[in-house]
């Protein structure tokens, strides 16, 4: 194990959903969530569905609120606590310090696939031609035929959409990469390409936090598995 | 980082030059320059564009909106969502100096780059903001366009207000912007009265962006349009905002609109801010009872 500081460090994170429309029902889903993602390592969140893996992922990315605890991200030579950071800093962190490959592509109507992939590069100051060139290289590697590049991915198959999504997530070099079922709808060949891309990034020093049910992919890339079941709050009332 | 551009970028020069009442040659040349090439350089200023603290506007003894606080930076899109009567249009009026700030503070970036209390600006200074710094896209295009002046004239007019005198340049620039908002060149001399709703909104957007504002207010710019037209318009707004590094405050009752183009969302009800945060956070993990109700009732399916 390395002694360099982790790129992500969660400590004592807790999450309870309050369902106001169901009589303010309190739904504690996680407590005491603590783990580190060291640079160059892939940490996989394990546990049954419903255990809260996606909730952890979304708290890290900032699309879920973190009730308590801290989530420290290596950002701009320092540490940013994503649990309390204001929106503007979370946006900067997403741009510069953490990439996200989600399970589903959030398609924006009318935007061509190549621009979907190039966008994070543009956001980081690349020129349009440079960004599109890199985006094209990624799409090629993930075997998206060139004739599809200028089409909006909304009409693509599930597997093609996922590969566009992966290309987008890998477009920029961020210290942390979040992977939510990156290979769920891919064939064996493309799964192999994604494994290769993940390994390349790991050896370049990127830290990864992943949700991954595919045993083959998990075996190929996971350095450490965090069992999310261990963070389940004690259940007092029977359902 | 984003938005911080070295001195001498076109936008800076345009604004510095625009600080004088009479536009200098620099101003003319820079605004007349090709926007596609200057692209990201348009996001000139790195400081806040708006800074709002506990601001409110009163109608008689009742507050139309109250206790609003936020900062807005270049390149940021803030959506203000709520049902009709929630105070969102009052807030827009307050921010754009069309309604008085009756309590709290609204400071905006003026030509020099520093933040100035809106209430202290003279009418003339506010008019200058509208001419050089601010745009306003109305829900109803007829409120923002001259319906019986040609599309080209509608887009050229703000340039004339900024001191452009050369007809050929004005026309060329207007044509460029109409192309950018996807109005076919051969319709440039027709009036918006003969255009579809979606086209009118696109002309209105061109008219409001042609002079290089730093802040654009939008009041339900896509409601009343067909869904497919809406999607096209939103996508256009989204890409223009990103290319130009604009700051935008957009009022909408439609959470899908907020999701598609805004970075942050402010939820209003009864004149108060109920919830405020990253748009995806507000929509995916709403905290307030009212936001949960809005999200569950609007975003089904």
């Amino acid at each position: 194990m390395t002694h360099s500081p982790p790129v992500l460090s969660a400590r004592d994170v807790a999450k309870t959903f309050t369902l106001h429309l169901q009589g303010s029902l309190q739904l504690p889903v996680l407590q005491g969530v603590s783990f580190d993602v060291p640079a160059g390592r892939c940490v996989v969140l394990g546990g049954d569905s419903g255990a809260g893996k996606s909730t952890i992922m979304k708290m890290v990315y900032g699309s879920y609120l973190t009730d308590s605890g801290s989530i420290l991200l290596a950002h701009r030579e320092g540490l940013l606590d994503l649990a309390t950071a204001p929106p503007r800093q979370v946006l900067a962190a997403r741009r510069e310090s953490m990439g996200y490959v989600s399970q589903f592509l959030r398609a924006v109507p009318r935007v061509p696939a190549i621009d979907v992939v190039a966008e994070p590069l543009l956001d980081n100051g690349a020129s349009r031609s440079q960004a599109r060139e890199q985006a094209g290289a990624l799409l090629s590697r993930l075997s998206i035929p060139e004739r599809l590049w200028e089409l909006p991915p909304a009409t693509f198959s599930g597997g093609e959409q996922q590969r566009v999504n992966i290309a987008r997530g890998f477009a920029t070099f961020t210290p942390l990469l979040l992977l939510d079922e990156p290979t769920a709808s891919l064939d064996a060949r493309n799964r192999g390409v994604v494994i290769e891309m993940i390994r390349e990034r790991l050896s370049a020093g990127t830290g990864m936090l992943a949700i991954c049910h595919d045993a083959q992919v998990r075996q190929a890339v996971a350095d450490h598995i965090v069992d999310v079941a261990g963070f389940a709050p004690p259940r007092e009332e029977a359902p | 980082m984003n938005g911080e551009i070295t001195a001498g970028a076109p936008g800076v020069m345009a604004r510095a030059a625009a600080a004088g009442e009479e536009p200098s040659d620099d101003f003319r040349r820079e605004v007349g320059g090709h926007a596609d090439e200057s692209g990201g350089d348009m996001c000139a200023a790195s400081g806040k564009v708006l800074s709002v603290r506990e601001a409110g506007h009163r109608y008689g003894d009742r507050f139309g909106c109250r206790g609003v606080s936020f900062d807005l930076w270049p390149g940021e899109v803030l959506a203000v969502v709520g049902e009709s009567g929630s105070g969102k249009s009052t807030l827009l009026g307050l921010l754009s100096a069309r309604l008085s700030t009756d309590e709290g503070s609204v400071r905006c970036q003026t030509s020099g780059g520093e933040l100035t209390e809106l209430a202290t600006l003279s009418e003339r200074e506010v008019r200058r903001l509208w001419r050089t710094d601010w745009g306003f896209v109305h829900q109803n295009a007829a409120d923002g366009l001259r319906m019986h002046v040609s599309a080209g004239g509608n887009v050229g007019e703000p340039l004339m207000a900024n001191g452009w005198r050369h007809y050929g340049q004005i026309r060329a620039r207007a044509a460029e912007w109409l192309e950018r908002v996807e109005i076919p060149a051969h319709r440039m001399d027709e009036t918006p009265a003969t255009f579809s709703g979606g086209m009118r909104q696109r002309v209105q957007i061109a008219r409001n962006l042609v002079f290089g504002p730093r802040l654009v207010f939008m009041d339900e710019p896509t409601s009343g349009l067909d869904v497919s037209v809406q999607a096209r318009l939103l996508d256009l707004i989204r890409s223009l905002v990103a290319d130009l590094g604009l700051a935008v405050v957009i009022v909408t009752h439609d959470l899908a609109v907020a999701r598609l183009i805004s970075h942050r969302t402010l939820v209003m009800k009864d004149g108060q801010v109920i919830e405020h945060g990253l748009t995806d956070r507000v929509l995916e993990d709403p905290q307030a009872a009212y936001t949960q109700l809005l999200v569950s009732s609007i975003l089904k399916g």
Side-chain angles (χ1 to χ4, degrees), chain B residues 233-253:
Chain B
L233 190 66
L234 282 171
D235 181 45
L236 179 72
I237 294 173
R238 195 175 167 273
S239 63
L240 286 172
V241 163
D243 288 352
L244 303 172
L246 292 174
V248 174
V249 180
I250 179 169
V251 160
T252 177
H253 68 276

Side-chain angles (χ1 to χ4, degrees), chain A residues 5-10 35-43 175-178 206-210:
Chain A
V7 290
L8 186 76
S9 181
F35 62 87
D36 286 343
V37 179
R41 302 288 166 147
C42 179
V43 173
L176 178 68
L177 198 51
L178 306 172
T206 296
M208 298 195 191
L209 181 65

Side-chain angles (χ1 to χ4, degrees), chain A residues 194-212:
Chain A
V194 174
I195 290 172
E196 199 180 273
M197 287 169 70
I198 292 175
R199 283 186 167 153
E200 280 173 21
R201 280 298 160 93
L202 288 170
S203 46
T206 296
M208 298 195 191
L209 181 65
I211 299 174
C212 178

Side-chain angles (χ1 to χ4, degrees), chain B residues 77-80 88-89 92 96 135-139 201 204-205 208-209 215-222 233-234 236-238 240-241 246-252 257 261:
Chain B
V77 179
L78 174 73
V80 180
K88 57 192 196 299
S89 296
L92 200 64
S96 59
F136 196 111
V137 177
H138 295 265
Q139 175 175 5
Q201 283 309 55
Q204 205 194 166
I205 287 166
N208 275 284
L209 298 185
L215 171 61
V216 178
F217 302 99
M218 299 188 182
D219 189 3
E220 303 271 10
T222 60
L233 190 66
L234 282 171
L236 179 72
I237 294 173
R238 195 175 167 273
L240 286 172
V241 163
L246 292 174
V248 174
V249 180
I250 179 169
V251 160
T252 177
V257 169
I261 69 168

